Amino acid sequence: MRRWRALLAAGAVLLLGLTPVARTGAPTPATLDLVGPVAQQRLHLSAAASLHLRSNGFVSMAFVALTIRHTPGSMKAEEALAVQAVNAAYQAFPDLAEVDVALFEAGQYLGFASRAAPPLLTLSVPAQQRPIFAWALRRGTYPRVWPASTPDLMAPAPIAPLPTRRPIWRGAGTTQDAALTLDDAPHPLYTPLLLDLLRRYGVPATFFVIGQNAEHYPYFVRDMVKAGHQVGNHTYSHALLKTLTAGEVRSELARTSGLLRHLTGQDITAFRPPGGGLNAAVLGAAAAQGLRTVMWSHDAGDYLKADAQSLQKAFAHHLHPGQITLLHDKVDSTLGALPAMIQAAQARGYALRTVDGLLSPEPARRLAAHQPAPAAP
């Protein structure tokens, strides 16, 4: 009898461990930025360098940056600290849909938007993964983690060179199709919120990915492809290509395409230069590697700090067949404007497609042959 009681008690503990945390207390703020001691106090975690929360109007997510004095060798201490940070964020804000963590060497973390210092470790934990992620991490089977050491990746043999070096500014315009493109992906806070929005509205987009970002957050790149989005090349270091030598340009493109192909299993067919910087050497390098240089016919200007309402109005005003809209992955107003942009296009009979889907069916067949299914907002 005692044995059965012990088994029942153990089962009850297990069920409690798998039950979502009760969501009580004050609602999670839509926007929150805490730095240094304030972040440490909020999370009760002395290693916290900053805490950031954002919402897309449906769900909220958090990003926690940590700093530590790293000793080369085992990453067990770093992983344990990342687990603490995830649990602290969920305890502080039980309504979160996801917590993402990046851990940096002490003294090297330069702020939320900086790419100057690479992280030692990154970790992404959606709410549904919280009950098992620490266990899986200890076993080495958790997929949404990036360790500090990554093997060198060989760039794939380039696909057939393109017959033209001309940049593409818009689609043919013969049908009411348009494309939403998002530069500077992936970002550990904004990318999952954007992917959630696009899923809710059943719309594919094209993410122009920075190689360094993809290297540190590979699971977000895989999320893009699983959801039916296109991944494009936005160089490895976000360098202004016009200032580089021809060899450096080729390396920036080849390294990024190689990494993205390794992560996604797909050929990379589209390229966008950072800042729109073009010259003959850039166009030639892209064409030689089978990349179409894709620009835009509508610059939303989200990076200029325009508010969400202004972005939506400008999008609706400029909307035309074949439109390619330039947006960015890490801008608050883009999160606020995207649902209204999608609704405005659909209300006028426009189909929103990936860049390859907009431009021609031939390159599009290299992509995953599905688009995200609509979900109720």
Side-chain angles (χ1 to χ4, degrees):
M1 188 68 169
R2 290 179 180 176
R3 183 181 178 186
W4 280 108
R5 287 176 180 172
L7 289 171
L8 288 171
V13 170
L14 178 61
L15 286 173
L16 285 172
L18 295 176
T19 301
V21 176
R23 299 185 172 185
T24 60
T28 300
T31 300
L32 182 68
D33 295 292
L34 303 179
V35 178
V38 183
Q40 294 164 14
Q41 183 179 12
R42 190 69 181 86
L43 296 175
H44 305 288
L45 195 63
S46 61
S50 67
L51 165 67
H52 305 271
L53 272 66
R54 294 293 185 275
S55 171
N56 63 8
F58 298 98
V59 296
S60 296
M61 303 189 186
F63 170 70
V64 182
L66 306 168
T67 57
I68 191 173
R69 295 203 176 277
H70 171 64
T71 301
S74 173
M75 292 292 290
K76 294 302 180 184
E78 286 76 4
E79 289 180 358
L81 181 57
V83 170
Q84 281 185 267
V86 170
N87 288 329
Y90 274 119
Q91 185 173 359
F93 305 101
D95 290 333
L96 291 173
E98 181 170 325
V99 173
D100 300 316
V101 173
L103 194 147
F104 298 82
E105 178 70 44
Q108 293 189 9
Y109 176 61
L110 301 178
F112 183 41
S114 174
R115 291 189 305 272
L120 298 166
L121 178 143
T122 71
L123 179 68
S124 171
V125 183
Q128 64 269 27
Q129 295 293 320
R130 188 187 172 193
I132 56 89
F133 86 97
W135 173 80
L137 190 62
R138 287 193 298 271
R139 290 174 57 90
T141 58
Y142 188 65
R144 301 180 69 80
V145 61
W146 176 79
S149 56
T150 299
D152 292 335
L153 299 174
M154 296 295 292
I159 56 179
L162 296 178
T164 178
R165 300 183 177 190
R166 290 177 298 184
I168 296 168
W169 294 90
R170 59 181 293 170
T174 54
T175 57
Q176 284 191 244
D177 295 339
L180 298 173
T181 66
L182 295 134
D183 286 10
D184 302 344
H187 188 283
L189 184 55
Y190 293 95
T191 295
L193 289 168
L194 289 166
L195 288 174
D196 179 77
L197 275 180
L198 293 166
R199 176 191 62 81
R200 290 173 186 276
Y201 288 97
V203 168
T206 300
F207 289 83
F208 282 98
V209 169
I210 299 172
Q212 284 180 333
N213 293 4
E215 200 167 67
H216 301 147
Y217 300 97
Y219 37 85
F220 290 135
V221 176
R222 295 189 181 105
D223 288 347
M224 294 171 191
V225 173
K226 287 178 184 176
H229 305 296
Q230 181 177 354
V231 171
N233 186 324
H234 200 44
T235 75
Y236 181 78
S237 65
H238 203 255
L240 184 59
L241 296 180
K242 293 192 297 183
T243 67
L244 304 185
T245 67
E248 289 170 334
V249 172
R250 290 194 296 270
S251 177
E252 284 274 341
L253 301 188
R255 187 175 183 182
T256 304
S257 286
L259 173 62
L260 296 179
R261 184 174 180 180
H262 175 85
L263 292 176
T264 67
Q266 297 180 352
D267 286 330
I268 306 304
T269 61
F271 153 70
R272 176 172 287 161
L278 289 177
N279 60 20
V282 172
L283 290 167
Q289 295 185 34
L291 295 167
R292 295 197 287 192
T293 300
V294 178
M295 304 300 280
W296 55 85
S297 59
H298 171 233
D299 180 355
D302 54 351
Y303 55 92
L304 298 174
K305 310 300 183 184
D307 61 80
Q309 188 175 18
S310 297
L311 292 181
Q312 186 273 326
K313 286 183 177 179
F315 174 83
H317 175 74
H318 290 283
L319 187 59
H320 54 267
Q323 176 169 304
I324 299 174
T325 292
L326 167 63
L327 296 163
H328 290 78
D329 188 341
K330 55 183 182 180
V331 180
D332 288 326
S333 57
T334 302
L335 282 175
L338 194 60
M341 288 181 174
I342 293 171
Q343 291 169 341
Q346 293 175 338
R348 290 165 60 176
Y350 277 79
L352 295 172
R353 306 188 183 281
T354 63
V355 160
D356 277 357
L358 175 71
L359 296 178
S360 69
E362 201 285 327
R365 63 188 171 89
R366 299 174 183 162
L367 300 175
H370 76 283
Q371 292 184 356

